[in-house]
Structures are given as structure tokens and as C-alpha cells.
């Protein structure tokens, strides 16, 4: 899961120009900020238990400062970027 989180974090930071960090990382005073969290959502055993299919849930939280000086427009473009998907 750490590899997925690192890949999504790097992709978002590169394409948006907004600082992206792993969820629960302390990044005080840096705005705007994207926090990426990944958790396993389920596992299905296939082929008599010899293979497993894992489902992961990726959450992206956008954080802005109180003044929101230009941050709102920058973060508003985020949903369109996420709908394109993240190359792995």
C-alpha cells in the first residue's frame, strides 16, 4: 500500500504543483496541501485460494489556509485531474 500511496502522492504533486504528502504527515504552515491516504478495502480469493484480488481505497484531502488566496481555483481543478486516473 505504501507504494500506491507514494505513486499517487508523486503524481499529484508533479501534475498540480500543489505539495502532496502521505496522510498524517506533519506539514505545518504549508498551503495548499494534498494529503493522500490508502487503505485496503477488501480481498477476494480466486483459483482455489492460489490467487488473491485486492481492492484499495485512495482518499485525497485538499487543505487550504484561511485566507484562500488563489488556492480555491488551484484545488478546484483537482477532481478533473483525478478522473483521468493515476498512471502506475
Amino acid at each position: 500500500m505504501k507504494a500506491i500511496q507514494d505513486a499517487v502522492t508523486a503524481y499529484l504533486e508533479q501534475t498540480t504543483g500543489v505539495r502532496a504528502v502521505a496522510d498524517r504527515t506533519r506539514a505545518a504552515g504549508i498551503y495548499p496541501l494534498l494529503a493522500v491516504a490508502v487503505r485496503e478495502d477488501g480481498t477476494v480469493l480466486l483459483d482455489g485460494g492460489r490467487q488473491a484480488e485486492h481492492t484499495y481505497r485512495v482518499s485525497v484531502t485538499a487543505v487550504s489556509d484561511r485566507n484562500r488566496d488563489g488556492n480555491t481555483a488551484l484545488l478546484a481543478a483537482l477532481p478533473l485531474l483525478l478522473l483521468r486516473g493515476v498512471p502506475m
Side-chain angles (χ1 to χ4, degrees), residues 53-71:
E53 183 178 279
H54 301 280
T55 303
Y56 296 97
R57 183 175 304 263
V58 178
S59 302
V60 178
T61 305
V63 182
S64 183
D65 62 349
R66 290 183 184 183
N67 296 332
R68 296 185 184 123
D69 297 329
N71 295 347

Side-chain angles (χ1 to χ4, degrees), residues 6-79:
D6 291 343
V8 172
T9 301
Y11 173 74
L12 289 176
E13 188 165 341
Q14 179 184 8
T15 55
T16 64
V18 176
R19 173 121 191 258
V21 297
D23 193 30
R24 303 196 187 280
T25 300
R26 295 193 184 267
I30 300 170
Y31 297 103
L33 178 72
L34 301 175
V36 179
V38 177
R39 69 179 173 95
E40 189 168 0
D41 205 27
T43 301
V44 177
L45 295 177
L46 305 169
D47 194 22
R50 291 184 291 202
Q51 295 180 359
E53 183 178 279
H54 301 280
T55 303
Y56 296 97
R57 183 175 304 263
V58 178
S59 302
V60 178
T61 305
V63 182
S64 183
D65 62 349
R66 290 183 184 183
N67 296 332
R68 296 185 184 123
D69 297 329
N71 295 347
T72 304
L74 187 59
L75 295 176
L78 187 61

